[in-house]
Amino acid sequence: MSSTPENRPRTTSPTPRVVVIGAGIVGCSLADELTARGWTDVTVLEQGPLPAPGGSTSHAPGLVFQTSPSKTLSEFAKYTVHKFGSLRIDGVPCFNQVGGLELATTPERLADLHRRAGYAAAWGIRGEIVGTARCKELWPLLDESIVLGGFHTPDDGLARALLAARAQMERATQRGARFLDRHTVTNIERESGHVTAVVTDRGTFPADHVVSAAGFWGPVIGRMAGIDVPLQPLAHQYVKTKALPELGDHTEEASRPILRFQDRDLYFREHTDRIGIGSYAHRPLQVDPFAVPPYDEARARGMDMPSSYPLTEEDWAPSWEDCRRLLPALRDSDIEDGFNGVFSFTPDGMPVLGESRQLRGFWLAEAVWVTHSAGVAKAVAEWMVDGRPSLDVHECDLTRFEEVQRSPAYVRARGSQQFVEVYDVLHPLQPMEQPRPLRVSPFHARQEQLGAFFLEGGGWERPHWYEANAPLVDGLGPDEPPVRDAWSARYWSPVAAAEAKATREKVALYDMTPLRRLEVTGPGALAFLDRMTSNNLRKKPGAVTYTLLLDETGGIRSDLTVARLAADRFQIGANSPADLDWLIRHAPDDVRIADITSGTCCVGVWGPLARDLVQPLTPDDFSHEGFGYFRAKETYVGHVPVTAMRLSYVGELGWELYTTADLGLRLWDTLWAAGRDLGVIAAGRSAFNSLRLEKGYRAWGTDMTDEHDPYEAGVGFAVRMDKDGFVGQEALENRPESSRRLTPLLLDDPAHVVLGKEPVHVDGVPAGYVTSASYGYTLGRCVAYAWLPVLATGTAVHIEYFGEKVPATVAEEPLFDPKMTRIRR
């Protein structure tokens, strides 16, 4: 270890020792956020020279567009604008609020800009749709003849990333942090599953927490820690034009809005008398993070920095023609310089954040763009200091990926596709095209024979409807279902209405295999689960309980169904890999937790004739008296051993039947053969979503997250405050009265449909946003749930759908079968 004072280990610190790897914009922002919260023993290690170490921050063009389909990403970007807007270095502001302008040159893009304007209103971002003349006014160099309109966001702008990094570095240093450049990390030391130190070529740094904020080098640092980081670096083209006479009198760095020409995968920003242009229009240029040269070696190779590769002229040529078409002033100009800049993509386009369970104290803050940098740093700092972020970050949680989604081949393929789709108009249901199929249930062959239309989720092929049921559409009324607009008609079929009707009137089989299943066993299983969840689990074997996983603040981490199958054996219906991670983190030594999803399968048998179908196949009593609601039995269906649970997420009589994957096909065939005379059908997720919303059943991650408590989310019935000590109980006891509610809405016009994430206007002002929405085929109206201020039943509101204000009314829930007579019979 080096003998210099700066490298001596600190052993008597009043706060945890934190080592941050990477002094780009994320590492500097994190050091600032941590030290502001009192964690001042922070060392930031950087392999390159400061203040421009050669990673993505050093070449970033600095565009900050706040509007995203993801509320989380938008909140990150809003904080970045707020924070950088308050920072100055050498008298220069770290954020230039020139605004943003997204252009439409096709009707499809113009419609998408209306949708983006809806996101902005939903998330509290100023923005408006403007006409061609206003676009020309904002950007006089435009050829207005090809522009149909635009989306103007006045609070967006340009982050001066290196200046913002310096400003935060100086503040953090004043509070006690230290920033050491020219330190290349060579190893992560660990002991008993916990990180202990970071080893560099210039010494070892003991640590209680290590944060990898290494950007596209994240996989390299992860490998040292024994942690896979699902991140694919790609090179992205950026050029600067020669000086333009049309900009010759400009002295400011930039005065016009940052410009997006998404129909050609291009963006533009001013550099005083030049224009910088970025392109996503080229082939994905994958970069191996393990082959990126160190700073000095990169310079020796003629590269400006490790993250800057030579411009590939053949990829740039088509984009240059598109640039000249949009900005005629470029026709007499040329490119002065350009490069291919490296930055990070993940399989779903979101950052990778959080602490590893495999190596405690090792944190990731990776795949973060400048746009979201300050917001991410704030969230990670809160997570480390307070135990949780103040913002829901489940979309970014490093545990979100399934095991199959972490393979290097998958990460490469999906990361590259995220690059391709950066500016694409993407439907919320649009599935990935490759690699598919990846995960299939044992029923897949039968589903294909029935003409299933599959969408994908978590790698699973999920039937959304079956073309075999198309003849049933003729049995619907003349206006059932109503004709849809082109957008809401994508990935939808009127067959879904027929499947919903058949479920309500007869019986249907639903493939519930992708539902995550955990098995919890051991002598301490009951006490553990009772402490970790909100409802009473101290019931006799055979009981099934709907309950919640809460965090210490009372926020909803997840909702679960817990079946007690024996004194010390439980089967849990969970949501994401994060549920498994959370439970394992807290489990005592006498509890064993296993994910049994892949080795099992499930058929939901639901409808008024469900008992008529199942009872002749089983030796057990499936009557209401013999098999009550929210009860479980281990029995047989035909030759197949099953765990039967009397649950219903569609509001009809029925059971979930679980068996092992090897017997799944036999279970399906047994049910199908027995149900032929009853008119049994297979039904898909589209009908399922409609039916569950008619009953008001919440979907975790969509309708409620850890930003919400059970009472405002409408699931307070799953909380037993008289229990003795469960996670989140104290916070709920002291919770203030909430001013918001998850609110059911019925659209007034039977012909109108919304899809989710639309802003809701109360008295003409955006007051909340839609979470889930689907047409309620039984009700003859579209059902939407929305987070809104507390409103009386019957209150009139408007949902903004592609710029149109669609009238809706606050409804009383449950909307369908409020006395639960159909389920409990």
Side-chain angles (χ1 to χ4, degrees):
M1 177 173 173
S2 170
S3 61
T4 58
E6 68 177 9
N7 285 345
R8 291 188 189 131
R10 303 179 184 182
T11 57
T12 58
S13 172
T15 66
R17 298 167 300 180
V18 180
V19 174
V20 178
I21 301 172
I25 190 63
V26 178
C28 292
S29 297
L30 180 58
D32 184 48
E33 295 287 339
L34 285 171
T35 56
R37 287 166 173 77
W39 280 25
T40 55
D41 192 348
V42 176
T43 301
V44 183
L45 302 175
E46 173 55 56
Q47 65 176 343
L50 290 174
S56 299
T57 301
S58 300
H59 67 67
L63 280 69
V64 179
F65 282 94
Q66 298 171 87
T67 304
S68 166
S70 165
K71 180 175 180 291
T72 300
L73 290 186
S74 291
E75 293 293 342
F76 286 160
K78 286 166 63 178
Y79 184 76
T80 299
V81 168
H82 169 76
K83 184 177 187 180
F84 290 1
S86 68
L87 297 177
R88 301 179 76 87
I89 191 81
D90 299 333
V92 179
C94 295
F95 189 75
N96 186 0
Q97 202 159 49
V98 294
L101 179 62
E102 303 179 41
L103 299 177
T105 59
T106 65
E108 293 78 14
R109 181 67 63 178
L110 186 59
D112 187 59
L113 293 186
H114 278 282
R115 187 165 62 107
R116 290 182 61 76
Y119 293 145
W123 314 145
I125 299 166
R126 288 203 302 157
E128 63 174 341
I129 298 296
V130 296
T132 302
R134 178 60 174 154
C135 292
K136 178 72 170 178
E137 181 182 341
L138 290 166
W139 255 86
L141 300 186
L142 289 175
D143 179 356
E144 69 270 31
S145 69
I146 66 172
V147 176
L148 302 181
F151 175 44
H152 180 222
T153 47
D155 298 328
D156 291 340
L158 295 166
R160 297 183 173 100
L162 286 176
L163 292 185
R166 276 184 57 200
Q168 294 176 100
M169 189 187 311
E170 290 182 5
R171 292 203 313 196
T173 301
Q174 290 169 2
R175 301 187 191 112
R178 55 180 178 171
F179 291 77
L180 307 178
D181 63 0
R182 300 292 188 172
H183 282 65
T184 299
V185 175
T186 59
N187 194 26
I188 307 294
E189 291 187 347
R190 40 199 152 146
E191 184 178 336
S192 301
H194 200 289
V195 69
T196 59
V198 176
V199 182
T200 75
D201 58 349
R202 297 177 63 184
T204 297
F205 296 83
D208 303 301
H209 296 273
V210 173
V211 185
S212 177
F216 57 78
W217 282 288
V220 179
I221 302 301
R223 180 175 293 182
M224 296 178 194
I227 305 299
D228 65 306
V229 179
L231 174 162
Q232 175 60 51
L234 289 117
H236 160 62
Q237 296 198 308
Y238 191 80
V239 304
K240 289 182 184 177
T241 68
K242 293 181 177 178
L244 294 175
E246 292 82 355
L247 301 177
D249 58 348
H250 283 210
T251 58
E252 299 177 67
E253 177 198 16
S255 59
R256 296 186 175 96
I258 46 179
L259 185 68
R260 275 175 165 171
F261 183 19
Q262 290 152 301
D263 288 323
R264 288 296 181 270
D265 297 309
L266 294 165
Y267 63 82
F268 305 80
R269 58 151 295 180
E270 294 173 293
H271 290 279
T272 313
D273 60 351
R274 292 160 171 76
I275 294 178
I277 308 167
S279 172
Y280 294 98
H282 54 85
R283 61 195 166 93
L285 301 168
Q286 296 178 357
V287 174
D288 181 357
F290 294 90
V292 176
Y295 187 91
D296 293 330
E297 183 180 332
R299 300 281 290 180
R301 293 187 191 179
M303 301 163 61
D304 289 338
M305 61 189 83
S307 61
S308 176
Y309 284 67
L311 182 73
T312 47
E313 299 283 355
E314 67 277 12
D315 293 307
W316 171 250
S319 290
W320 183 232
E321 293 306 311
D322 290 328
C323 295
R324 289 171 154 177
R325 185 165 66 95
L326 181 70
L327 305 176
L330 298 180
R331 294 170 186 169
D332 296 323
S333 183
D334 209 340
I335 298 306
E336 185 172 71
D337 59 69
F339 63 96
N340 289 352
V342 183
F343 63 139
S344 305
F345 286 81
T346 59
D348 59 3
M350 300 293 286
V352 181
L353 313 178
E355 182 189 22
S356 167
R357 174 170 48 83
Q358 289 76 21
L359 182 58
R360 301 295 180 89
F362 184 80
W363 296 77
L364 295 179
E366 296 292 8
V368 182
W369 295 4
V370 171
T371 303
H372 312 114
S373 55
V376 163
K378 176 175 180 283
V380 173
E382 290 173 335
W383 210 339
M384 297 175 71
V385 176
D386 304 327
R388 60 152 285 175
S390 58
L391 176 72
D392 166 52
V393 296
H394 81 272
E395 293 177 309
C396 310
D397 195 312
L398 61 87
T399 64
R400 71 188 182 270
F401 294 111
E402 302 286 344
E403 188 66 27
V404 71
Q405 295 173 312
R406 306 182 77 95
S407 73
Y410 186 94
V411 173
R412 283 194 300 271
R414 294 305 308 156
S416 297
Q417 188 61 25
Q418 288 296 327
F419 179 93
V420 171
E421 294 175 351
V422 161
Y423 283 164
D424 285 1
V425 178
L426 299 175
H427 192 277
L429 292 177
Q430 186 168 328
M432 67 181 190
E433 295 180 1
Q434 294 295 332
R436 289 182 65 193
L438 194 59
R439 306 176 81 185
V440 297
S441 81
F443 323 130
H444 186 73
R446 298 294 183 263
Q447 292 165 345
E448 287 189 311
Q449 292 167 4
L450 294 169
F453 182 87
F454 293 100
L455 295 179
E456 179 271 343
W460 288 101
E461 294 297 316
R462 302 184 180 206
H464 273 243
W465 68 84
Y466 295 85
E467 286 301 326
N469 296 326
L472 300 178
V473 175
D474 295 337
L476 302 174
D479 298 320
E480 297 180 71
V483 176
R484 292 198 174 203
D485 65 276
W487 184 253
S488 66
R490 290 192 194 180
Y491 307 107
W492 174 85
S493 168
V495 173
E499 292 177 358
K501 179 181 173 70
T503 306
R504 290 278 189 241
E505 295 180 353
K506 293 183 180 180
V507 62
L509 305 184
Y510 287 82
D511 182 1
M512 303 300 291
T513 300
L515 175 70
R516 183 170 303 280
R517 291 172 292 285
L518 310 178
E519 185 175 69
V520 180
T521 58
L526 175 59
F528 167 66
L529 290 174
D530 205 44
R531 176 173 59 83
M532 294 300 297
T533 67
S534 63
N535 212 336
N536 176 31
L537 301 185
R538 295 185 178 275
K539 303 172 183 176
K540 294 179 180 179
V544 182
T545 306
Y546 176 80
T547 188
L548 307 172
L549 281 181
L550 305 179
D551 63 23
E552 294 289 351
T553 71
I556 306 170
R557 285 191 56 92
S558 189
D559 62 341
L560 312 174
T561 54
V562 180
R564 190 176 189 186
L565 302 179
D568 58 357
R569 181 165 62 92
F570 296 81
Q571 181 173 311
I572 296 177
N575 286 297
S576 75
D579 297 345
L580 175 64
D581 183 82
W582 177 257
L583 292 172
I584 290 177
R585 284 176 186 268
H586 291 86
D589 292 339
D590 61 351
V591 173
R592 295 176 297 279
I593 304 172
D595 188 332
I596 61 171
T597 309
S598 297
T600 55
C601 60
C602 178
V603 181
V605 184
W606 290 312
L609 301 182
R611 183 174 288 117
D612 299 74
L613 195 164
V614 177
Q615 183 62 86
L617 301 174
T618 178
D620 277 278
D621 182 2
F622 270 54
S623 70
H624 183 61
E625 295 74 20
F627 198 156
Y629 191 52
F630 266 81
R631 299 292 298 173
K633 285 185 180 183
E634 293 183 292
T635 183
Y636 289 86
V637 170
H639 297 284
V640 179
V642 301
T643 299
M645 298 186 197
R646 191 170 168 197
L647 308 174
S648 175
Y649 288 99
V650 300
E652 295 293 337
L653 171 69
W655 290 265
E656 293 179 355
L657 302 177
Y658 299 88
T659 192
T660 52
D662 60 321
L663 290 169
L665 191 59
R666 182 59 180 259
L667 175 62
W668 180 279
D669 288 345
T670 299
L671 294 167
W672 188 259
R676 295 298 295 273
D677 292 340
L678 300 173
V680 70
I681 66 162
R685 298 286 299 183
S686 187
F688 176 89
N689 199 45
S690 170
L691 297 169
R692 71 103 182 163
L693 279 174
E694 289 183 332
K695 285 297 295 179
Y697 294 144
R698 277 64 167 149
W700 185 85
T702 302
D703 298 316
M704 57 189 186
T705 68
D706 62 8
E707 288 187 10
H708 310 111
D709 73 46
Y711 302 104
E712 60 190 9
V715 289
F717 63 87
V719 178
R720 287 290 300 270
M721 293 300 292
D722 56 349
K723 274 177 60 174
D724 183 18
F726 61 88
V727 175
Q729 184 176 23
E730 183 177 351
L732 293 183
E733 288 173 342
N734 299 309
R735 65 183 279 273
E737 185 64 29
S738 177
S739 60
R740 63 182 178 179
R741 293 286 187 277
L742 184 60
T743 305
L745 305 174
L746 280 175
L747 275 62
D748 294 352
D749 188 336
H752 280 144
V753 173
V754 298
L755 299 181
K757 299 189 177 182
E758 297 88 358
V760 181
H761 298 255
V762 179
D763 296 329
V765 178
Y769 59 93
V770 174
T771 57
S772 294
S774 181
Y775 199 85
Y777 301 111
T778 316
L779 302 173
R781 292 285 191 281
C782 183
V783 180
Y785 272 77
W787 280 104
L788 290 169
V790 179
L791 300 173
T793 300
T795 301
V797 301
H798 287 84
I799 302 174
E800 184 179 337
Y801 182 71
F802 286 91
E804 180 185 359
K805 302 296 195 306
V806 178
T809 302
V810 175
E812 187 80 28
E813 65 173 342
L815 304 172
F816 175 78
D817 188 26
K819 295 184 179 180
M820 302 285 283
T821 57
R822 298 176 71 91
I823 293 177
R824 295 190 171 113
R825 59 177 168 182

